[in-house]
Amino acid sequence: MKGLVFERNLARFAASRLVSAVGGSGRGVALGPLRLTDVEAPELPGPDWHRVRPLLAGICGSDLSTLDGRSSRYFEDVVSFPFVPGHEVLGVIDEDDGATHARGATGEGGGARVVVEPVLGCVARGIDPPCPACARGRTGGCERVAFGHLAPGLQIGFCADTGGGWSAGGLVAHESQLHPVPDSLSDDDAVMVEPTACAVHAALDAAVDPGATVAVLGAGTLGLCTVAAMAHLRTPGTLLVGARYAHQRRLAEELGADVVVDPDQLTRAVRRRSRSLEFSNTLTGGADVVVDCVGSDQSLAQALAMVRPRGRVVLVGMPGRVTVDLASLWHREVSISGAYAYGTELVDGTHRRTFDIAMEVVAATGLGRLVSARYPLERFEEALAHAGAAGSRGAVKVVFDLRRPAMRATPSVTRGAARRQQDRPTSRTTARPKKGSPP
Amino acid sequence: MSPRPGFVLEVDRSTPPTLFWHGEGFRLERLPTGSRVLYAPEPIDALDDPVGAIRHALADPLGDSAPLASLLRPGMKLTIAFDDISLPLPPMRSPDVRQMVIEEVLELAAGAGVDDVVLIAALALHRRMTDAELRHALGDRVFDSFAPHGLLWQHDAEDPDELVHLGLTDQGEDVEINKRAATSDLLVYVNINLVAMDGGHKSVATGLASYRSLRHHHNARTMAHSRSFMDQHRSELHSSNWRMGRLIAAAGVKVFQIETTLNTDTFPEQFRFLQRREWEWNARDRAGFLASSKALEATPARLARSIFHSIRSPHRMTSVQAGEVEAVHARTTENVYAQQLLEVDGQSDVLTMGLPYICPYNVNSIMNPILVACLGLGYFFNMYRGKPLVRAGGVVILSHPTPWAFHPGHHPSYIDFFEQVLAETTDPAEIGKYEEAFATDPWYVHLYRTGHAYHGVHPFYMWYWCAHALEHVGAVIVVGGDRAAVRRLGFKPASTMADALEMAADVVGPDPSITHLHSPPLLMADVR
């Protein structure tokens, strides 16, 4: 079975980094350490594991960062080579596997459609007792990601033992990582559950008080999912979004943003809203919470410039090495926190799986509309180039389509987008009831 | 030889291309046969002895005013207010008219033993002038006598301690003006009346007023009902100011008005071709045009802007009137019309304009898109008496690069207005819902009071200025402008004049009648 494999090859890694730096994200793939090859299905690591055959597998910003050679060296010890990328996975339980997860949901070929929660925490790693984070349900914060009976790997898609979504040979996942997909969710919706779960965790962890001013920087997949989660799960007074491209601005509005502007205008929009003064290019007031879904030097500096004193900056976009002046953070007692992955969330006093909440958000806000193009694995170079330039090419989420050929849609942005627009209501009221109106 | 009056040219096959201003540059356009081109009257003769004329005006005032010297006495409180950087355009060569007039007033004051004298730049909600700008307007002698001693003020419309509310007009309009001016024994106001809109009761009631007062006439309704605001008797803007002015007088504020008019000798020698009609260009004019155009094409925009803003106009004074406000202003208006009025027979389907690099609100600054709109649809469109030059439902074609660029120090609220308000609506009647937030925004207030920023509400006023034109015309097309900026204004971009005329035909029908306003130099159309 064909699959894409990422190998440790420093020369190719350097070549990819150089080409992508010059030509743009995703452009260095042909020279890089990713190759399409025959891939064996991974062995089941234990009795509670299942084989999953991917149907759709998304291309994430962190995948591109890895392929471009831009990701932080911090991750070197929590990745094992060679690995098959792909951690945003809609798949089916392999019909030979005998799994009973279906709970009535039927996928193609008779297996159950599932989305994979890719984080490899203590349970998946066979570590008992689990680490304190996993014991609290915060598998994203697992302290044992490099240990246990699996090779190191933050997630499926970065671990040599589990396979990943970018392979027709499939992957293996612990039963705790599998979430059945209800019939009501389309395949496009389902493949958006994983990135949405990241956004849900960020929205719920961001301490957004009712009526707060929240600014979201960036309107790629994570940014738009964050907007949807924030609007659906929280009650910000004003939700402002900085979005570079027209289609991103339209989607942000549809998903519940109150104010959508170019990122360069976001600080001014926040200033107007907060009626702040300025000094040293920093607002004296500002947003209560700024969610940085970009993760660059510039975005973090901008976030710090527009968050209010004692406000909070949440990093959702995966940052690498950044250089930023922290004087304002110190002086204004700003908190900065990361928001990685998912696990369980405390909602109204109840612990719930982040993925369960994410499925609700996806269903309620129609996030399947963010899937802009689908490619077969064989066209991975095109797919990754498309994903690397998604914004400028009018796309949001680019996915690999591993369904049987007859099931595949043509990788066309316009066709897919047009169909989804017809399929579901996308009005802002659908996504977000007006404040003060009855539920 | 006496100066020639204005001229309406009908374009024929032998007519050379017509010069259009295009920001910090020019374009030559071939207008269709039958188009009309309106040329300003040639500069009328300036006063041979302007200082003598000023002295005479002060000694022999109009209306029921006594001579200025007789109004001055020891121990009195005297305030001299003067027009700000927005006048004249371009800034004139030294000595500025304000300097000449104020020096004479101060001579009389000194002779009368008046020692409590304060000068106030009547900014209204305009930006504060820099010291260099004040020095240019007032001259070294006046500036050095007053500024170091804290006696040269700039009106602060946001200083509650320096404003006084004088009451309400019979229309319920608040009249709140500068306290020093209102509580002086005599307020002398020194005007430069570049166009017919300037002066009269508008000087004090607007120039020294607060937002609380200005909002009564600087709004969409008033401006839509000022047809035009260059014609005092058909201008609701002026009606409101006159009500306020009379209330100010009734409240006991003694105003001694001084108004001056300038000729249209607008550009220095190297740009003399701008003053001439194209078919009369001689070799020197053609060389001047070619040299300027080619040099500007190769010059970065910022440098070109700097070059143009260094122009000092050779404007010269053609009249000076002093005394009672309304009597003075009536005479002044006659003198403005004598220089600028051009009789035009009927309206046209299309009105074209080439917009220059400067308007009242971007002296030493950037002509941002809002100011482009204001200059074209506010000022130039309204340079008429009788009827607009373009028929109702017609098309206005503006030529200007319209860059998406703003001076962050001078126009901070313009940026937000452009990004937020115009993104929502370009309807002057609709934008009012945002006005209060901008007018009271503490950051804009801070920048207005301490920096050199126009007040937060000022971009709204610029858009209100366009209200009459936006209501009147069917479409506005901008030739050669930044397409995104033009669209944000609600206008249509065109690459060439030919394209713009084709687009205009979609609105007004084929073979439209066309009038080109060949200005500046300034002209005011008397449309019959």
Side-chain angles (χ1 to χ4, degrees), chain B residues 399-475:
Chain B
S399 177
H400 192 277
T402 321
W404 187 311
F406 296 83
H407 191 299
H410 292 165
H411 302 116
S413 70
Y414 280 63
I415 304 171
D416 288 338
F417 179 85
F418 196 66
E419 289 179 357
Q420 180 191 6
V421 179
L422 290 186
E424 293 277 330
T425 177
T426 56
D427 182 346
E430 285 288 313
I431 65 172
K433 62 188 175 190
Y434 297 100
E435 182 185 310
E436 181 79 11
F438 275 67
T440 60
D441 188 306
W443 179 234
Y444 303 145
V445 170
H446 171 79
L447 294 176
Y448 162 78
R449 297 193 66 187
T450 64
H452 295 283
Y454 284 83
H455 192 275
V457 79
H458 204 257
F460 288 79
Y461 291 175
M462 298 299 93
W463 208 251
Y464 297 150
W465 245 231
C466 305
H468 171 29
L470 289 173
E471 189 177 89
H472 182 82
V473 303

Side-chain angles (χ1 to χ4, degrees), chain A residues 109-302:
Chain A
R113 285 194 313 160
V114 291
V115 288
V116 176
E117 181 173 339
V119 165
L120 294 166
C122 287
V123 173
R125 292 182 169 280
I127 296 172
D128 189 26
C131 73
C134 287
R136 292 197 306 273
R138 275 291 300 123
T139 50
C142 177
E143 299 170 14
R144 302 286 185 268
V145 288
F147 309 100
H149 64 66
L150 295 177
L154 282 169
Q155 300 183 348
I156 289 172
F158 296 99
C159 174
D161 287 347
T162 61
W166 298 2
S167 167
L171 55 88
V172 293
H174 188 266
E175 64 180 7
S176 63
Q177 296 177 280
L178 299 177
H179 297 262
V181 177
D183 286 345
S184 57
L185 283 191
S186 68
D187 286 357
D188 284 351
D189 285 331
V191 79
M192 292 303 302
V193 169
E194 195 278 343
T196 303
C198 296
V200 164
H201 175 61
L204 293 176
D205 201 44
V208 176
D209 293 328
T213 298
V214 178
V216 177
L217 253 173
T221 301
L222 263 184
L224 291 169
C225 289
T226 300
V227 171
M230 198 65 79
H232 190 73
L233 300 171
R234 296 297 206 176
T235 53
T238 306
L239 181 56
L240 304 99
V241 180
R244 179 74 65 197
Y245 301 102
H247 70 290
Q248 295 176 336
R249 290 194 282 271
R250 175 180 57 76
L251 286 164
E253 284 182 359
E254 290 175 1
L255 292 170
D258 299 301
V259 177
V260 184
V261 297
D262 189 272
D264 297 340
Q265 302 174 6
L266 187 58
T267 306
R268 285 196 293 274
V270 169
R271 194 212 63 75
R272 288 195 295 271
R273 184 72 196 172
S274 59
R275 294 173 74 83
S276 297
L277 308 183
E278 289 181 36
F279 64 85
S280 303
N281 295 319
T282 301
L283 302 187
T284 54
D288 299 295
V289 175
V290 179
V291 185
D292 180 358
C293 298
V294 179
S296 67
D297 295 1
Q298 294 86 352
S299 65
L300 184 53
Q302 187 178 2

Side-chain angles (χ1 to χ4, degrees), chain B residues 89-100:
Chain B
L89 297 176
M92 67 188 296
R93 288 177 185 161
S94 294
D96 189 285
V97 165
R98 285 161 290 211
Q99 174 187 340
M100 290 192 283

Side-chain angles (χ1 to χ4, degrees), chain B residues 177-207:
Chain B
I177 65 168
N178 185 285
K179 184 190 281 184
R180 163 78 200 194
T183 57
S184 290
D185 298 301
L186 183 65
L187 169 61
V188 175
Y189 195 108
V190 181
N191 290 268
I192 298 176
N193 301 68
L194 188 68
V195 293
M197 177 188 68
D198 302 328
H201 285 301
K202 186 170 170 290
S203 306
V204 174
T206 291

